[in-house]
Amino acid sequence: MIETWEKVLDPNFINAELIGGVGAERVVTIEDIDFKEAYDQRSNSRSMKQSLFFKECKPLVLNKTNTKTLIRLFGTDGSNPQACVGKKIMLYVAAVKVAGKPTTGIRIRECIECDDCGGIVKPVPPRSASELVEISRRNTGRTLCLACMKKAKEKMDKEGSASGK
């Protein structure tokens, strides 16, 4: 039996419901990575959990999946967790399974800013944000979101047709 709602949603941490439904996103800046006391469902008690602290919102308890993503994004050897401090990341809500049951969870992905509009370069399936950035850098020499890439292409096409007259 659940004695308190805190055991379902710890009010000291961000959770998927605070971000929104599946697919909802939030850009955050990592302020620190440290331990914080949290409710542990397995032991039905409070314990210290590795957590990611943000400037914009409550901290996130780090699970293995999100820890592996941070290592991939900010350090290949994983020896310096503080390498992620000051970096922007995208938190997004994903459909996940916990103990074989469907639920929602927070996942982390890279946050890349567009050089032209300052917006976030978002993935456009089947391309990831990193793939879109690679394409924009190859074609324009700049990091651009999809909308700015389209504008740059239109401008290049217009200039090309004007010079060909």
Side-chain angles (χ1 to χ4, degrees):
M1 176 184 348
I2 297 173
E3 295 99 25
T4 68
W5 284 112
E6 181 182 48
K7 293 183 178 183
V8 178
L9 297 174
D10 190 326
N12 298 314
F13 294 90
I14 192 165
N15 58 59
E17 289 74 21
L18 292 175
I19 296 175
V22 173
E25 304 171 321
R26 183 165 186 181
V27 176
V28 293
T29 307
I30 299 170
E31 194 171 57
D32 197 7
I33 183 168
D34 206 346
F35 287 88
K36 183 172 174 79
E37 187 178 70
Y39 175 73
D40 186 339
Q41 290 179 329
R42 290 184 188 136
S43 67
N44 194 27
S45 64
R46 298 192 71 73
S47 63
M48 299 302 282
K49 299 282 187 175
Q50 186 176 9
S51 305
L52 203 54
F53 294 82
F54 308 110
K55 291 181 181 179
E56 299 83 358
C57 63
K58 296 177 183 182
L60 173 71
V61 173
L62 279 174
N63 59 23
K64 286 181 185 179
T65 300
N66 288 335
T67 300
K68 287 178 183 178
T69 301
L70 287 173
I71 291 168
R72 182 178 48 79
L73 292 175
F74 304 117
T76 53
D77 64 0
S79 64
N80 183 12
Q82 294 298 317
C84 65
V85 172
K87 308 285 189 196
K88 286 188 179 185
I89 57 171
M90 177 83 67
L91 300 180
Y92 68 98
V93 179
V96 297
K97 286 188 177 182
V98 176
K101 296 184 180 185
T103 187
T104 56
I106 297 175
R107 293 291 183 254
I108 294 171
R109 71 171 145 236
E110 187 174 20
C111 183
I112 306 167
E113 293 182 2
C114 175
D115 289 343
D116 284 7
C117 71
I120 303 302
V121 179
K122 295 186 179 182
V124 180
R127 303 257 190 236
S128 68
S130 296
E131 289 172 315
L132 291 175
V133 166
E134 185 179 312
I135 292 166
S136 75
R137 286 180 182 156
R138 184 173 56 240
N139 293 328
T140 68
R142 299 187 323 272
T143 298
L144 301 176
C145 65
L146 187 60
C148 290
M149 266 197 279
K150 287 179 181 178
K151 288 178 188 174
K153 184 180 182 329
E154 289 170 6
K155 183 179 177 184
M156 287 190 296
D157 289 347
K158 198 175 198 179
E159 289 171 356
S161 65
S163 65
K165 287 185 180 179

mmCIF file with all atom_site columns, all heavy atoms in Angstrom, residues 144-163:
data_model
loop_
_atom_site.group_PDB
_atom_site.id
_atom_site.type_symbol
_atom_site.label_atom_id
_atom_site.label_alt_id
_atom_site.label_comp_id
_atom_site.label_asym_id
_atom_site.label_entity_id
_atom_site.label_seq_id
_atom_site.pdbx_PDB_ins_code
_atom_site.Cartn_x
_atom_site.Cartn_y
_atom_site.Cartn_z
_atom_site.occupancy
_atom_site.B_iso_or_equiv
_atom_site.pdbx_formal_charge
_atom_site.auth_seq_id
_atom_site.auth_comp_id
_atom_site.auth_asym_id
_atom_site.auth_atom_id
_atom_site.pdbx_PDB_model_num
ATOM 1   N N   . LEU A 1 144 ? 22.383 25.233 -38.433 1.00 0.00 ? 144 LEU A N   1
ATOM 2   C CA  . LEU A 1 144 ? 21.055 25.786 -38.675 1.00 0.00 ? 144 LEU A CA  1
ATOM 3   C C   . LEU A 1 144 ? 19.956 24.782 -38.340 1.00 0.00 ? 144 LEU A C   1
ATOM 4   O O   . LEU A 1 144 ? 20.119 23.582 -38.536 1.00 0.00 ? 144 LEU A O   1
ATOM 5   C CB  . LEU A 1 144 ? 20.906 26.187 -40.149 1.00 0.00 ? 144 LEU A CB  1
ATOM 6   C CG  . LEU A 1 144 ? 21.892 27.209 -40.695 1.00 0.00 ? 144 LEU A CG  1
ATOM 7   C CD1 . LEU A 1 144 ? 21.676 27.416 -42.187 1.00 0.00 ? 144 LEU A CD1 1
ATOM 8   C CD2 . LEU A 1 144 ? 21.772 28.523 -39.947 1.00 0.00 ? 144 LEU A CD2 1
ATOM 9   N N   . CYS A 1 145 ? 18.827 25.321 -37.869 1.00 0.00 ? 145 CYS A N   1
ATOM 10  C CA  . CYS A 1 145 ? 17.635 24.499 -37.681 1.00 0.00 ? 145 CYS A CA  1
ATOM 11  C C   . CYS A 1 145 ? 17.018 24.270 -39.067 1.00 0.00 ? 145 CYS A C   1
ATOM 12  O O   . CYS A 1 145 ? 17.432 24.899 -40.057 1.00 0.00 ? 145 CYS A O   1
ATOM 13  C CB  . CYS A 1 145 ? 16.646 25.188 -36.741 1.00 0.00 ? 145 CYS A CB  1
ATOM 14  S SG  . CYS A 1 145 ? 15.947 26.722 -37.375 1.00 0.00 ? 145 CYS A SG  1
ATOM 15  N N   . LEU A 1 146 ? 16.013 23.419 -39.140 1.00 0.00 ? 146 LEU A N   1
ATOM 16  C CA  . LEU A 1 146 ? 15.408 23.092 -40.423 1.00 0.00 ? 146 LEU A CA  1
ATOM 17  C C   . LEU A 1 146 ? 14.803 24.323 -41.099 1.00 0.00 ? 146 LEU A C   1
ATOM 18  O O   . LEU A 1 146 ? 14.992 24.532 -42.302 1.00 0.00 ? 146 LEU A O   1
ATOM 19  C CB  . LEU A 1 146 ? 14.345 21.995 -40.246 1.00 0.00 ? 146 LEU A CB  1
ATOM 20  C CG  . LEU A 1 146 ? 13.750 21.441 -41.527 1.00 0.00 ? 146 LEU A CG  1
ATOM 21  C CD1 . LEU A 1 146 ? 14.844 20.819 -42.400 1.00 0.00 ? 146 LEU A CD1 1
ATOM 22  C CD2 . LEU A 1 146 ? 12.669 20.421 -41.219 1.00 0.00 ? 146 LEU A CD2 1
ATOM 23  N N   . ALA A 1 147 ? 14.106 25.169 -40.337 1.00 0.00 ? 147 ALA A N   1
ATOM 24  C CA  . ALA A 1 147 ? 13.490 26.370 -40.921 1.00 0.00 ? 147 ALA A CA  1
ATOM 25  C C   . ALA A 1 147 ? 14.548 27.302 -41.506 1.00 0.00 ? 147 ALA A C   1
ATOM 26  O O   . ALA A 1 147 ? 14.382 27.832 -42.614 1.00 0.00 ? 147 ALA A O   1
ATOM 27  C CB  . ALA A 1 147 ? 12.657 27.097 -39.872 1.00 0.00 ? 147 ALA A CB  1
ATOM 28  N N   . CYS A 1 148 ? 15.648 27.494 -40.789 1.00 0.00 ? 148 CYS A N   1
ATOM 29  C CA  . CYS A 1 148 ? 16.714 28.374 -41.280 1.00 0.00 ? 148 CYS A CA  1
ATOM 30  C C   . CYS A 1 148 ? 17.468 27.745 -42.453 1.00 0.00 ? 148 CYS A C   1
ATOM 31  O O   . CYS A 1 148 ? 17.946 28.462 -43.336 1.00 0.00 ? 148 CYS A O   1
ATOM 32  C CB  . CYS A 1 148 ? 17.656 28.762 -40.144 1.00 0.00 ? 148 CYS A CB  1
ATOM 33  S SG  . CYS A 1 148 ? 16.866 29.874 -38.950 1.00 0.00 ? 148 CYS A SG  1
ATOM 34  N N   . MET A 1 149 ? 17.568 26.410 -42.462 1.00 0.00 ? 149 MET A N   1
ATOM 35  C CA  . MET A 1 149 ? 18.179 25.727 -43.609 1.00 0.00 ? 149 MET A CA  1
ATOM 36  C C   . MET A 1 149 ? 17.351 25.984 -44.861 1.00 0.00 ? 149 MET A C   1
ATOM 37  O O   . MET A 1 149 ? 17.898 26.239 -45.940 1.00 0.00 ? 149 MET A O   1
ATOM 38  C CB  . MET A 1 149 ? 18.275 24.210 -43.368 1.00 0.00 ? 149 MET A CB  1
ATOM 39  C CG  . MET A 1 149 ? 19.584 23.760 -42.799 1.00 0.00 ? 149 MET A CG  1
ATOM 40  S SD  . MET A 1 149 ? 19.831 21.980 -42.996 1.00 0.00 ? 149 MET A SD  1
ATOM 41  C CE  . MET A 1 149 ? 18.885 21.363 -41.631 1.00 0.00 ? 149 MET A CE  1
ATOM 42  N N   . LYS A 1 150 ? 16.021 25.921 -44.726 1.00 0.00 ? 150 LYS A N   1
ATOM 43  C CA  . LYS A 1 150 ? 15.133 26.164 -45.869 1.00 0.00 ? 150 LYS A CA  1
ATOM 44  C C   . LYS A 1 150 ? 15.292 27.600 -46.365 1.00 0.00 ? 150 LYS A C   1
ATOM 45  O O   . LYS A 1 150 ? 15.354 27.838 -47.571 1.00 0.00 ? 150 LYS A O   1
ATOM 46  C CB  . LYS A 1 150 ? 13.683 25.882 -45.479 1.00 0.00 ? 150 LYS A CB  1
ATOM 47  C CG  . LYS A 1 150 ? 13.389 24.412 -45.332 1.00 0.00 ? 150 LYS A CG  1
ATOM 48  C CD  . LYS A 1 150 ? 11.951 24.154 -44.917 1.00 0.00 ? 150 LYS A CD  1
ATOM 49  C CE  . LYS A 1 150 ? 11.688 22.676 -44.764 1.00 0.00 ? 150 LYS A CE  1
ATOM 50  N NZ  . LYS A 1 150 ? 10.302 22.404 -44.316 1.00 0.00 ? 150 LYS A NZ  1
ATOM 51  N N   . LYS A 1 151 ? 15.375 28.566 -45.431 1.00 0.00 ? 151 LYS A N   1
ATOM 52  C CA  . LYS A 1 151 ? 15.569 29.961 -45.811 1.00 0.00 ? 151 LYS A CA  1
ATOM 53  C C   . LYS A 1 151 ? 16.903 30.157 -46.526 1.00 0.00 ? 151 LYS A C   1
ATOM 54  O O   . LYS A 1 151 ? 16.994 30.872 -47.519 1.00 0.00 ? 151 LYS A O   1
ATOM 55  C CB  . LYS A 1 151 ? 15.510 30.873 -44.581 1.00 0.00 ? 151 LYS A CB  1
ATOM 56  C CG  . LYS A 1 151 ? 14.132 31.034 -43.998 1.00 0.00 ? 151 LYS A CG  1
ATOM 57  C CD  . LYS A 1 151 ? 14.184 31.912 -42.760 1.00 0.00 ? 151 LYS A CD  1
ATOM 58  C CE  . LYS A 1 151 ? 12.853 31.925 -42.045 1.00 0.00 ? 151 LYS A CE  1
ATOM 59  N NZ  . LYS A 1 151 ? 12.913 32.663 -40.771 1.00 0.00 ? 151 LYS A NZ  1
ATOM 60  N N   . ALA A 1 152 ? 17.954 29.509 -46.006 1.00 0.00 ? 152 ALA A N   1
ATOM 61  C CA  . ALA A 1 152 ? 19.280 29.625 -46.616 1.00 0.00 ? 152 ALA A CA  1
ATOM 62  C C   . ALA A 1 152 ? 19.276 29.031 -48.018 1.00 0.00 ? 152 ALA A C   1
ATOM 63  O O   . ALA A 1 152 ? 19.865 29.604 -48.941 1.00 0.00 ? 152 ALA A O   1
ATOM 64  C CB  . ALA A 1 152 ? 20.322 28.928 -45.745 1.00 0.00 ? 152 ALA A CB  1
ATOM 65  N N   . LYS A 1 153 ? 18.586 27.902 -48.188 1.00 0.00 ? 153 LYS A N   1
ATOM 66  C CA  . LYS A 1 153 ? 18.502 27.272 -49.511 1.00 0.00 ? 153 LYS A CA  1
ATOM 67  C C   . LYS A 1 153 ? 17.750 28.173 -50.490 1.00 0.00 ? 153 LYS A C   1
ATOM 68  O O   . LYS A 1 153 ? 18.180 28.358 -51.633 1.00 0.00 ? 153 LYS A O   1
ATOM 69  C CB  . LYS A 1 153 ? 17.836 25.910 -49.435 1.00 0.00 ? 153 LYS A CB  1
ATOM 70  C CG  . LYS A 1 153 ? 17.813 25.176 -50.766 1.00 0.00 ? 153 LYS A CG  1
ATOM 71  C CD  . LYS A 1 153 ? 17.154 23.841 -50.662 1.00 0.00 ? 153 LYS A CD  1
ATOM 72  C CE  . LYS A 1 153 ? 17.143 23.056 -51.945 1.00 0.00 ? 153 LYS A CE  1
ATOM 73  N NZ  . LYS A 1 153 ? 17.095 23.772 -53.187 1.00 0.00 ? 153 LYS A NZ  1
ATOM 74  N N   . GLU A 1 154 ? 16.625 28.744 -50.035 1.00 0.00 ? 154 GLU A N   1
ATOM 75  C CA  . GLU A 1 154 ? 15.856 29.660 -50.881 1.00 0.00 ? 154 GLU A CA  1
ATOM 76  C C   . GLU A 1 154 ? 16.718 30.852 -51.306 1.00 0.00 ? 154 GLU A C   1
ATOM 77  O O   . GLU A 1 154 ? 16.686 31.266 -52.462 1.00 0.00 ? 154 GLU A O   1
ATOM 78  C CB  . GLU A 1 154 ? 14.604 30.144 -50.156 1.00 0.00 ? 154 GLU A CB  1
ATOM 79  C CG  . GLU A 1 154 ? 13.547 29.084 -49.991 1.00 0.00 ? 154 GLU A CG  1
ATOM 80  C CD  . GLU A 1 154 ? 12.406 29.504 -49.068 1.00 0.00 ? 154 GLU A CD  1
ATOM 81  O OE1 . GLU A 1 154 ? 12.375 30.687 -48.631 1.00 0.00 ? 154 GLU A OE1 1
ATOM 82  O OE2 . GLU A 1 154 ? 11.549 28.652 -48.791 1.00 0.00 ? 154 GLU A OE2 1
ATOM 83  N N   . LYS A 1 155 ? 17.487 31.382 -50.367 1.00 0.00 ? 155 LYS A N   1
ATOM 84  C CA  . LYS A 1 155 ? 18.349 32.529 -50.660 1.00 0.00 ? 155 LYS A CA  1
ATOM 85  C C   . LYS A 1 155 ? 19.428 32.138 -51.675 1.00 0.00 ? 155 LYS A C   1
ATOM 86  O O   . LYS A 1 155 ? 19.688 32.882 -52.622 1.00 0.00 ? 155 LYS A O   1
ATOM 87  C CB  . LYS A 1 155 ? 18.999 33.040 -49.372 1.00 0.00 ? 155 LYS A CB  1
ATOM 88  C CG  . LYS A 1 155 ? 19.846 34.271 -49.556 1.00 0.00 ? 155 LYS A CG  1
ATOM 89  C CD  . LYS A 1 155 ? 20.436 34.751 -48.243 1.00 0.00 ? 155 LYS A CD  1
ATOM 90  C CE  . LYS A 1 155 ? 21.337 35.951 -48.472 1.00 0.00 ? 155 LYS A CE  1
ATOM 91  N NZ  . LYS A 1 155 ? 22.000 36.375 -47.243 1.00 0.00 ? 155 LYS A NZ  1
ATOM 92  N N   . MET A 1 156 ? 20.045 30.956 -51.490 1.00 0.00 ? 156 MET A N   1
ATOM 93  C CA  . MET A 1 156 ? 21.080 30.496 -52.430 1.00 0.00 ? 156 MET A CA  1
ATOM 94  C C   . MET A 1 156 ? 20.471 30.241 -53.807 1.00 0.00 ? 156 MET A C   1
ATOM 95  O O   . MET A 1 156 ? 21.076 30.592 -54.823 1.00 0.00 ? 156 MET A O   1
ATOM 96  C CB  . MET A 1 156 ? 21.763 29.240 -51.899 1.00 0.00 ? 156 MET A CB  1
ATOM 97  C CG  . MET A 1 156 ? 22.704 29.501 -50.744 1.00 0.00 ? 156 MET A CG  1
ATOM 98  S SD  . MET A 1 156 ? 23.748 28.093 -50.267 1.00 0.00 ? 156 MET A SD  1
ATOM 99  C CE  . MET A 1 156 ? 22.548 26.903 -49.720 1.00 0.00 ? 156 MET A CE  1
ATOM 100 N N   . ASP A 1 157 ? 19.265 29.662 -53.843 1.00 0.00 ? 157 ASP A N   1
ATOM 101 C CA  . ASP A 1 157 ? 18.601 29.408 -55.127 1.00 0.00 ? 157 ASP A CA  1
ATOM 102 C C   . ASP A 1 157 ? 18.276 30.719 -55.831 1.00 0.00 ? 157 ASP A C   1
ATOM 103 O O   . ASP A 1 157 ? 18.455 30.855 -57.045 1.00 0.00 ? 157 ASP A O   1
ATOM 104 C CB  . ASP A 1 157 ? 17.318 28.597 -54.925 1.00 0.00 ? 157 ASP A CB  1
ATOM 105 C CG  . ASP A 1 157 ? 17.591 27.147 -54.526 1.00 0.00 ? 157 ASP A CG  1
ATOM 106 O OD1 . ASP A 1 157 ? 18.757 26.701 -54.642 1.00 0.00 ? 157 ASP A OD1 1
ATOM 107 O OD2 . ASP A 1 157 ? 16.633 26.469 -54.091 1.00 0.00 ? 157 ASP A OD2 1
ATOM 108 N N   . LYS A 1 158 ? 17.809 31.711 -55.056 1.00 0.00 ? 158 LYS A N   1
ATOM 109 C CA  . LYS A 1 158 ? 17.467 33.017 -55.606 1.00 0.00 ? 158 LYS A CA  1
ATOM 110 C C   . LYS A 1 158 ? 18.707 33.718 -56.155 1.00 0.00 ? 158 LYS A C   1
ATOM 111 O O   . LYS A 1 158 ? 18.698 34.270 -57.246 1.00 0.00 ? 158 LYS A O   1
ATOM 112 C CB  . LYS A 1 158 ? 16.817 33.875 -54.514 1.00 0.00 ? 158 LYS A CB  1
ATOM 113 C CG  . LYS A 1 158 ? 16.046 35.051 -55.012 1.00 0.00 ? 158 LYS A CG  1
ATOM 114 C CD  . LYS A 1 158 ? 15.363 35.723 -53.827 1.00 0.00 ? 158 LYS A CD  1
ATOM 115 C CE  . LYS A 1 158 ? 14.255 36.619 -54.293 1.00 0.00 ? 158 LYS A CE  1
ATOM 116 N NZ  . LYS A 1 158 ? 13.562 37.250 -53.183 1.00 0.00 ? 158 LYS A NZ  1
ATOM 117 N N   . GLU A 1 159 ? 19.802 33.671 -55.384 1.00 0.00 ? 159 GLU A N   1
ATOM 118 C CA  . GLU A 1 159 ? 21.057 34.290 -55.828 1.00 0.00 ? 159 GLU A CA  1
ATOM 119 C C   . GLU A 1 159 ? 21.629 33.573 -57.037 1.00 0.00 ? 159 GLU A C   1
ATOM 120 O O   . GLU A 1 159 ? 22.158 34.196 -57.942 1.00 0.00 ? 159 GLU A O   1
ATOM 121 C CB  . GLU A 1 159 ? 22.078 34.298 -54.677 1.00 0.00 ? 159 GLU A CB  1
ATOM 122 C CG  . GLU A 1 159 ? 21.736 35.272 -53.569 1.00 0.00 ? 159 GLU A CG  1
ATOM 123 C CD  . GLU A 1 159 ? 22.635 35.113 -52.340 1.00 0.00 ? 159 GLU A CD  1
ATOM 124 O OE1 . GLU A 1 159 ? 23.488 34.194 -52.310 1.00 0.00 ? 159 GLU A OE1 1
ATOM 125 O OE2 . GLU A 1 159 ? 22.484 35.930 -51.422 1.00 0.00 ? 159 GLU A OE2 1
ATOM 126 N N   . GLY A 1 160 ? 21.474 32.249 -57.064 1.00 0.00 ? 160 GLY A N   1
ATOM 127 C CA  . GLY A 1 160 ? 21.966 31.459 -58.201 1.00 0.00 ? 160 GLY A CA  1
ATOM 128 C C   . GLY A 1 160 ? 21.188 31.761 -59.468 1.00 0.00 ? 160 GLY A C   1
ATOM 129 O O   . GLY A 1 160 ? 21.763 31.888 -60.544 1.00 0.00 ? 160 GLY A O   1
ATOM 130 N N   . SER A 1 161 ? 19.881 31.899 -59.348 1.00 0.00 ? 161 SER A N   1
ATOM 131 C CA  . SER A 1 161 ? 19.074 32.194 -60.543 1.00 0.00 ? 161 SER A CA  1
ATOM 132 C C   . SER A 1 161 ? 19.271 33.629 -60.998 1.00 0.00 ? 161 SER A C   1
ATOM 133 O O   . SER A 1 161 ? 19.208 33.930 -62.186 1.00 0.00 ? 161 SER A O   1
ATOM 134 C CB  . SER A 1 161 ? 17.590 31.904 -60.276 1.00 0.00 ? 161 SER A CB  1
ATOM 135 O OG  . SER A 1 161 ? 17.086 32.777 -59.279 1.00 0.00 ? 161 SER A OG  1
ATOM 136 N N   . ALA A 1 162 ? 19.538 34.545 -60.054 1.00 0.00 ? 162 ALA A N   1
ATOM 137 C CA  . ALA A 1 162 ? 19.786 35.953 -60.399 1.00 0.00 ? 162 ALA A CA  1
ATOM 138 C C   . ALA A 1 162 ? 21.122 36.098 -61.137 1.00 0.00 ? 162 ALA A C   1
ATOM 139 O O   . ALA A 1 162 ? 21.237 36.891 -62.056 1.00 0.00 ? 162 ALA A O   1
ATOM 140 C CB  . ALA A 1 162 ? 19.772 36.838 -59.161 1.00 0.00 ? 162 ALA A CB  1
ATOM 141 N N   . SER A 1 163 ? 22.118 35.325 -60.748 1.00 0.00 ? 163 SER A N   1
ATOM 142 C CA  . SER A 1 163 ? 23.424 35.427 -61.389 1.00 0.00 ? 163 SER A CA  1
ATOM 143 C C   . SER A 1 163 ? 23.453 34.688 -62.723 1.00 0.00 ? 163 SER A C   1
ATOM 144 O O   . SER A 1 163 ? 24.304 34.942 -63.552 1.00 0.00 ? 163 SER A O   1
ATOM 145 C CB  . SER A 1 163 ? 24.530 34.903 -60.465 1.00 0.00 ? 163 SER A CB  1
ATOM 146 O OG  . SER A 1 163 ? 24.351 33.520 -60.249 1.00 0.00 ? 163 SER A OG  1
#
